[in-house]
Amino acid sequence: MYFRNPHILFFVGILIVLAGSSCSDQESVTKTPFAFPSDFPPVAYQNPSNNANDAVFELGRKLFYDANLSKTRTVSCGSCHAQVHGFADHNIPFSFGIYGRQGVRNAPALVNLAWMTNFMWDGGIRHLDVLSIAPFTDTNEMGMTLPLVVQRANENPEYKSLLKAAYQIEEFDESKILLTLSQFMLRLVSNNSKYDRVRRGQDRYNEVEARGHQLFQNYCSNCHTEPLLTHNRFEKNGLLLSGNDVGRFRITQVPTDSFAFKVPSLRNVALTYPYMHNGSLRRLEDVLEAYNQSDRSRAPELPKFYLDTDDKKALIAFLESLTDYTFISNLELSEPR
Amino acid sequence: MKNYIFKYHKWAIVFVLVAASLSLPSCKKDPQPTPSLTGEVSFEFSHVWGLNMAPFYLNQTYVHPMSGDTLNINMLKYYISNITMTKTDGSTYQVPNSYYLIDPSENIITIKDIPAGDYKKVEFLIGVDSLRNFSGLQTGALNPSNGMFWSWSTGYIFVRVEGTSPQSETGIFMYHLGGYESPFIASHKKNYDLGNEVISINSQTKPTIHFNVNAAKFWHGPVKVADLNVIHNVGENAVSMSTNFADGFTLDHVHK
């Protein structure tokens, strides 16, 4: 007999099975699928090849806050999308990029992007995975080329181990950078404001807030559709008399799209001032008064507003209930320290 | 007792064999199709100028046959995609993932793994289909860092032509043609019937289909460098200019 001990053969067999299975199972890294809130509509983001695990998310967070990814190594995504302001800029109309250059539109708040089908004030960007190309390459923002972004990221030894954990690779390429940033941005989910807790029956509005919610549903929620507080389309509000920004027209070249802009989500709106595509209105009161007065001939679909002082107070109380303090203090979304 | 051990032993061998046969194949890829059943074809795009099909090169100064404008093109790039081949029996083969970025120095594309047979028609798109245009991040010819992607208005520049001209107000022209914002669609489908020049594709043949691409055609429509020297957006002008360029594609000859 060659095999004195038949048990060894079982052992060998089990080893072969194990070897075989580990060979076919490339994705043995622990995956914790991030759970999107079940009381929101279905997620719009689609990219079956962009799988996330915690290591990918962590890597994405580091990239988001990495100023080395700008030409002068001074500006990161987080520079103009600050968590304390609901991932909008620090209450300035136009953001500052490299060399102190200023942008031309107010930096939008990055929130609940997984439900968005288009991005930017004119909706020019149609997929989250290509969104970051714009700020990376804009000469007023980060002033880079994608190959240079890759080079800068690969210079950083800290990324090596994270890349290994996230993807079992050693070096970034262009798509890995962009897809990884998507995974961070997908988790910028705000669903724990008082508004959400009331929605879920876990909290109650006071009388003023409740009246504000009623007014909101009368005047605003056609476009700021609940619960995401945007219908993701483009509207004219008749307010915008200054400047030569033609909005959506720039993208479609359809004359009726002139001066239409993306309806922004109102989540954390109390923190994201100043308002409108050009940051021209500083306080929520200013916005409401502007809607009272705006030129309906320039915005035929806008309902007439008759908001008196009490109405405004109530609406503002409601809008303040959209602030999600968990979101703005969630350490997982903060700059790594 | 001895008998029992022997039995046990025998089952152990069976187990090892089964385990090996179950696990090993999972490491291998699916077998490749038999080579003899497929072949390849090349498309060559020769760039020409004007009615007499003068040879076209970048960085040379040409006079436009219609406007008389003096034009020196220093960049000409465009996408050829969605190649479909039709056999003589009418069946079609869509070349999977067929996206190619062409310029005068990279003007030959070779398509491999085409099912063997006799082909009578070819079809392709000048530009990128709307699905890929909008479905997020792409790689290869469609990598956004190839200078053919609009970062601020998602989608590809289907055709990019740049150069200098004394007739232009600024001395330069720069036309970035693309877009799927209805009604401004700047991609163009081309269909070529090979007529008597049916090509046989199999492991022994390497046929080439030669197309002429007439660069002067850009200015056969309403756009003149003197009036409009920059297009970098969707719209009527991009559609008109790309339509004219697409009209400048002709089947020249076939090498079997």
Side-chain angles (χ1 to χ4, degrees):
Chain A
M1 279 292 142
Y2 283 107
F3 303 105
R4 283 276 177 84
N5 185 351
H7 296 279
I8 288 173
L9 283 175
F10 278 101
F11 188 60
V12 170
I14 285 163
L15 279 182
I16 292 173
V17 169
L18 287 177
S21 59
S22 73
C23 184
S24 61
D25 183 16
Q26 299 277 337
E27 294 158 12
S28 50
V29 183
T30 331
K31 275 192 187 153
T32 37
F34 174 71
F36 289 109
S38 55
D39 55 352
F40 275 0
V43 164
Y45 176 80
Q46 281 197 355
N47 180 353
S49 70
N50 194 1
N51 291 321
N53 54 49
D54 284 346
V56 172
F57 170 76
E58 190 52 31
L59 193 57
R61 177 165 80 134
K62 285 218 152 64
L63 290 171
F64 187 86
Y65 289 105
D66 188 349
N68 286 315
L69 304 186
S70 64
K71 189 175 181 186
T72 51
R73 303 181 188 267
T74 52
V75 179
S76 75
C77 308
S79 302
C80 305
H81 297 283
Q83 187 181 15
V84 289
H85 298 289
F87 289 94
D89 206 346
H90 302 75
N91 305 133
I92 50 174
F94 302 118
S95 301
F96 291 97
I98 55 167
Y99 306 120
R101 290 175 188 160
Q102 257 188 309
V104 294
R105 286 178 182 156
N106 186 246
L110 303 182
V111 65
N112 296 342
L113 300 175
W115 290 270
M116 285 191 190
T117 47
N118 54 66
F119 305 88
M120 304 294 182
W121 282 103
D122 55 22
I125 294 172
R126 306 276 284 260
H127 198 290
L128 185 64
D129 292 344
V130 294
L131 170 64
S132 314
I133 300 172
F136 274 138
T137 58
D138 191 312
T139 50
N140 289 330
E141 298 182 41
M142 298 168 88
M144 297 286 272
T145 62
L146 288 181
L148 193 53
V149 173
V150 172
Q151 191 190 317
R152 290 278 180 87
N154 283 332
E155 278 170 10
N156 185 342
E158 209 187 317
Y159 286 129
K160 293 265 184 283
S161 57
L162 284 168
L163 271 169
K164 197 125 204 183
Y167 298 114
Q168 302 87 52
I169 57 172
E170 303 254 315
E171 299 232 297
F172 278 112
D173 62 15
E174 286 147 26
S175 46
K176 274 288 177 285
I177 291 204
L178 297 170
L179 296 177
T180 306
L181 277 166
S182 287
Q183 288 299 348
F184 175 76
M185 292 190 284
L186 285 169
R187 292 206 202 179
L188 299 176
V189 173
S190 173
N191 73 325
N192 203 28
S193 61
K194 181 169 185 184
Y195 164 74
D196 295 295
R197 291 195 304 277
V198 171
R199 215 160 46 86
R200 292 192 287 258
Q202 298 159 343
D203 203 341
R204 292 190 60 171
Y205 274 146
N206 65 34
E207 217 172 291
V208 180
E209 291 165 332
R211 180 145 173 272
H213 193 193
Q214 191 57 55
L215 287 163
F216 183 80
Q217 290 177 328
N218 291 352
Y219 288 115
C220 319
S221 68
N222 265 356
C223 300
H224 296 286
T225 319
E226 298 186 58
L228 294 164
L229 305 170
T230 171
H231 63 7
N232 274 318
R233 297 201 300 272
F234 308 89
E235 300 289 346
K236 300 172 208 182
N237 60 14
L239 306 179
L240 313 155
L241 298 163
S242 63
N244 52 4
D245 192 337
V246 290
R248 181 70 178 155
F249 176 76
R250 179 179 181 231
I251 303 302
T252 63
Q253 301 292 306
V254 172
T256 51
D257 286 338
S258 290
F259 306 108
F261 288 89
K262 166 105 184 257
V263 172
S265 170
L266 298 182
R267 288 187 167 270
N268 304 299
V269 69
L271 306 174
T272 63
Y273 66 91
Y275 303 109
M276 304 301 151
H277 74 277
N278 53 8
S280 57
L281 301 173
R282 185 131 186 101
R283 301 172 307 162
L284 286 172
E285 270 171 279
D286 303 336
V287 174
L288 298 180
E289 186 50 31
Y291 275 108
N292 262 347
Q293 295 180 9
S294 83
D295 178 358
R296 261 55 183 183
S297 70
R298 291 159 48 87
E301 287 173 34
L302 191 70
K304 280 264 184 210
F305 278 53
Y306 305 101
L307 301 171
D308 64 22
T309 313
D310 283 348
D311 292 339
K312 286 188 204 162
K313 271 194 186 135
L315 251 176
I316 289 169
F318 169 74
L319 293 172
E320 284 173 345
S321 82
L322 302 174
T323 302
D324 180 346
Y325 294 96
T326 315
F327 179 62
I328 62 166
S329 61
N330 180 357
L331 288 175
E332 287 184 13
L333 306 178
S334 304
E335 184 165 3
R337 293 188 198 275
Chain B
M1 183 63 180
K2 202 178 173 187
N3 199 20
Y4 169 75
I5 288 173
F6 178 67
K7 263 186 175 168
Y8 189 33
H9 191 169
K10 214 166 62 173
W11 281 111
I13 292 170
V14 169
F15 178 64
V16 167
L17 289 177
V18 169
S21 67
L22 280 177
S23 60
L24 289 179
S26 68
C27 292
K28 290 180 186 164
K29 288 192 174 158
D30 291 333
Q32 294 293 313
T34 319
S36 66
L37 296 179
T38 63
E40 62 175 62
V41 66
S42 295
F43 290 7
E44 180 169 351
F45 297 92
S46 298
H47 298 86
V48 298
W49 184 266
L51 272 178
N52 56 0
M53 304 273 189
F56 171 83
Y57 298 102
L58 293 179
N59 304 308
Q60 295 296 329
T61 303
Y62 293 88
V63 175
H64 194 268
M66 288 171 77
S67 66
D69 288 347
T70 306
L71 301 156
N72 185 317
I73 295 177
N74 54 38
M75 180 189 283
L76 173 61
K77 287 184 176 186
Y78 52 90
Y79 280 109
I80 296 294
S81 73
N82 290 274
I83 296 168
T84 302
M85 316 258 308
T86 306
K87 282 188 184 174
T88 47
D89 66 6
S91 63
T92 59
Y93 173 68
Q94 288 185 315
V95 181
N97 205 23
S98 48
Y99 296 90
Y100 302 91
L101 183 53
I102 311 291
D103 72 45
S105 61
E106 297 279 340
N107 63 332
I108 301 173
I109 57 186
T110 299
I111 306 149
K112 295 190 189 319
D113 299 325
I114 299 175
D118 292 338
Y119 288 85
K120 62 173 184 181
K121 264 172 74 177
V122 296
E123 189 183 301
F124 56 78
L125 191 72
I126 304 171
V128 177
D129 52 288
S130 67
L131 184 65
R132 280 294 178 97
N133 198 55
F134 294 129
S135 49
L137 193 58
Q138 310 292 329
T139 53
L142 298 177
N143 185 320
S145 37
N146 288 338
M148 299 291 279
F149 186 78
W150 278 312
S151 64
W152 53 276
S153 178
T154 300
Y156 289 88
I157 298 168
F158 302 154
V159 180
R160 179 172 176 169
V161 58
E162 297 179 9
T164 57
S165 167
Q167 279 76 30
S168 153
E169 204 179 301
T170 56
I172 59 140
F173 57 86
M174 191 184 286
Y175 302 109
H176 297 180
L177 315 175
Y180 274 103
E181 298 293 342
S182 180
F184 306 121
I185 293 163
S187 68
H188 300 278
K189 195 166 256 187
K190 299 296 286 188
N191 256 302
Y192 295 96
D193 200 321
L194 302 179
N196 295 329
E197 304 283 332
V198 168
I199 50 170
S200 281
I201 293 180
N202 58 57
S203 60
Q204 311 300 314
T205 57
K206 287 186 188 243
T208 301
I209 305 172
H210 288 258
F211 298 94
N212 283 331
V213 179
N214 194 332
K217 280 277 188 176
F218 281 115
W219 295 276
H220 277 225
V223 176
K224 301 279 174 284
V225 281
D227 311 325
L228 181 67
N229 63 343
V230 175
I231 299 175
H232 60 102
N233 208 339
V234 301
E236 214 171 304
N237 291 318
V239 173
S240 136
M241 216 171 179
S242 62
T243 306
N244 283 304
F245 177 61
D247 285 347
F249 279 64
T250 47
L251 177 66
D252 191 53
H253 64 281
V254 175
H255 273 301
K256 293 191 189 178

